Amino acid sequence: MRLSAKADYAIRAAVELAAAGEGPIKGERIASAQDIPPKFLENILLDLKQSGLIASRRGAEGGYWLARPADEVSLADIIRAVEGPLANVRGARPEDLEYRGAAESLKQVFIAMRANLRAVLEEVTLADVAAGELPASVLPPTDDPDAWVSH
């Protein structure tokens, strides 16, 4: 899986909002706290707002906040809001792919890949990340030393 800078920044911004609690948080504060370019962050926050994940108010008392409780927003929700589907192949959903001959089983491989991504990204919420307490169900693969090695 390759996570774009946009998706990475969106997750980090949303986690910052989750950690901040209920009040409006200025975009500049989020950008500074997570070292995100402010102009890039503005576009990301707009995408998150359009998807209904965050809300905003203008003015001196304005800023951004989560539109739903942090424990109801998964990392998958954030990624989908800024990037679209979690897994695709050349822009197509895995179930829509057609392979022939020796490559025919690739469709199942890509569907399995998407299912595994979902198993982690739909399970982990903004509240989990903000609290530093990830669900036990997503941690076992991190116990494998090989998981930490780039291949």
Side-chain angles (χ1 to χ4, degrees):
M1 173 181 185
R2 195 161 136 209
L3 197 63
S4 70
K6 183 176 186 179
D8 177 46
Y9 290 161
I11 292 169
R12 290 167 41 202
V15 168
E16 197 66 32
L17 291 173
E22 301 213 4
I25 306 301
K26 299 280 188 198
E28 299 84 31
R29 179 174 155 197
I30 298 167
S32 176
Q34 291 298 320
D35 198 25
I36 300 171
K39 285 290 187 191
F40 197 17
L41 179 61
E42 285 179 30
N43 293 326
I44 291 168
L45 293 172
L46 181 61
D47 286 345
L48 294 175
K49 183 177 176 184
Q50 289 175 339
S51 71
L53 294 172
I54 67 170
S56 68
R57 177 174 59 224
R58 291 180 173 233
E61 300 297 316
Y64 299 89
W65 62 92
L66 294 176
R68 299 188 333 229
D71 63 353
E72 294 179 13
V73 182
S74 71
L75 299 187
D77 293 331
I78 301 297
I79 294 169
R80 286 184 185 115
V82 298
E83 295 279 310
L86 292 179
N88 67 62
V89 178
R90 295 176 284 115
R93 296 176 185 272
E95 64 272 17
D96 295 334
L97 299 172
E98 292 298 327
Y99 292 106
R100 296 182 209 160
E104 193 171 346
S105 63
L106 282 176
K107 182 175 190 171
Q108 289 176 294
V109 170
F110 296 141
I111 289 172
M113 176 188 71
R114 180 180 60 190
N116 279 291
L117 286 173
R118 284 179 177 167
V120 173
L121 297 174
E122 289 180 351
E123 181 74 19
V124 179
T125 68
L126 296 178
D128 296 330
V129 177
E133 297 177 9
L134 301 180
S137 62
V138 303
L139 293 177
T142 65
D143 291 337
D144 179 358
D146 197 44
W148 296 87
V149 178
S150 177
H151 292 280

